[in-house]
Amino acid sequence: MTKNTNEDLQDLRKAEWKVRTELAAAYRLVALFGWDDLVFTHLSARVPGPDHHFLINPYGLLFHEITASSLVKVDKNGEVVESGSVSRVNPAGFTIHSAVHMGREDAGAVMHLHAPDGVAVSAHRDGLLPLSQTAMLCLDHLSYHDYEGVALNLDERERLIRDLGDKSMMLLRNHGVLTAGKDVPVTFTYLYFLMKACEIQVRALACGPTYLPSEQAIATTAEQSQQLGMASALTWPALVRLLNSKNPGYGV
């Protein structure tokens, strides 16, 4: 093995560890914000390199327990390539996440939740409404996918990626939310905005009649939202500082 090959392997390992650490942090942040669902739902990230592997949670650990080394590495067929103490992977998690990773080369990370407010809005006839600035920042990034049952049928992958298209956010009807982005920080930022928009909508609708902004205001905010993912340059370091003060130890 040449020196350059050794250096390349070391670089790939460093890059993978960085992704592992970020993804473990994202799991713990989901728990910190109260968006987790026992051992269910899943966040994933593509492993740097040519092998089309991705990282996902071991099926059975709570989100606040996830560490960088506990994440399971799987291939596009759902076969475990490398695992920590738990090697089980949620089959529904593989179906959803493999669809996006395989269908979208730009999707370095994918995040899917069953948080109550997200599920509530996914079940609302009109979906996400332009009731807040946060929602209006999401609308142009949002798509919808109809519920087909627990996502165990691999045939659903084709329809899921078709419905996602080139969007970064999705409401899985009667099921939950999903975001996809170039890396963990960007994808979590999308997730935060989408979940906050859903939370605001649930509260607003509970208050009675709502007030909608003008079509011009909605269109203007959609234009302003095109660089939404860039907010991660500010939000992610702040989120990591928050996590380090509340629940450190994920980067092992």
Side-chain angles (χ1 to χ4, degrees):
M1 189 176 289
T2 67
K3 180 180 179 182
N4 285 340
T5 302
N6 277 323
E7 290 175 349
D8 289 343
L9 287 174
Q10 289 176 359
D11 288 344
L12 281 175
R13 290 192 186 102
K14 288 179 182 177
E16 178 178 331
W17 190 255
K18 178 176 183 292
V19 174
R20 282 179 172 272
T21 303
E22 290 177 340
L23 188 59
Y27 272 102
R28 295 209 182 186
L29 285 166
V30 166
L32 186 63
F33 287 123
W35 298 337
D36 49 343
D37 181 19
L38 293 178
V39 300
F40 308 107
T41 75
H42 8 266
L43 322 178
S44 65
R46 182 177 286 122
V47 176
D51 296 322
H52 301 288
H53 295 158
F54 62 92
L55 302 166
I56 199 165
N57 52 316
Y59 196 21
L61 293 187
L62 297 167
F63 279 22
H64 77 270
E65 298 177 304
I66 299 290
T67 63
S69 60
S70 72
L71 292 164
V72 181
K73 187 191 299 186
V74 299
D75 64 20
K76 63 182 181 180
N77 297 313
E79 298 296 327
V80 174
V81 175
E82 182 182 340
S83 65
S85 58
V86 179
S87 61
R88 293 185 303 274
V89 172
N90 185 334
F94 171 74
T95 300
I96 293 170
H97 289 256
S98 64
V100 182
H101 284 297
M102 291 166 59
R104 285 271 299 269
E105 188 61 34
D106 63 322
V110 182
M111 302 186 179
H112 165 53
L113 301 180
H114 297 164
D117 290 326
V119 177
V121 173
S122 80
H124 192 277
R125 182 194 62 190
D126 299 321
L128 186 65
L129 298 167
L131 294 174
S132 66
Q133 174 175 278
T134 308
M136 286 182 275
L137 289 169
C138 294
L139 288 175
D140 209 44
H141 301 271
L142 187 64
S143 64
Y144 293 82
H145 175 67
D146 283 344
Y147 186 67
E148 299 185 19
V150 177
L152 300 175
N153 183 359
L154 293 180
D155 290 344
E156 187 179 352
R157 293 190 294 188
E158 181 179 344
R159 294 181 291 279
L160 192 148
I161 195 63
R162 176 201 66 200
D163 292 341
L164 179 62
D166 62 354
K167 303 298 185 181
S168 302
M169 305 177 186
M170 176 180 273
L171 285 177
L172 302 168
R173 287 293 196 177
N174 313 101
H175 184 180
V177 303
L178 182 145
T179 60
K182 71 182 183 72
D183 56 23
V184 170
V186 167
T187 307
F188 191 89
T189 299
Y190 287 140
L191 185 68
Y192 180 86
F193 274 85
L194 182 55
M195 279 304 308
K196 185 60 64 175
C198 290
E199 291 166 7
I200 293 168
Q201 178 164 321
V202 169
R203 295 189 185 192
L205 293 179
C207 293
T210 55
Y211 179 85
L212 291 175
S214 69
E215 290 297 328
Q216 181 59 54
I218 295 170
T220 297
T221 312
E223 292 176 9
Q224 295 168 334
S225 77
Q226 296 313 302
Q227 303 302 318
L228 184 61
M230 294 178 63
S232 64
L234 294 173
T235 60
W236 185 253
L239 286 164
V240 169
R241 293 194 302 271
L242 172 66
L243 183 60
N244 286 338
S245 71
K246 301 286 187 180
N247 188 8
Y250 53 89
V252 297

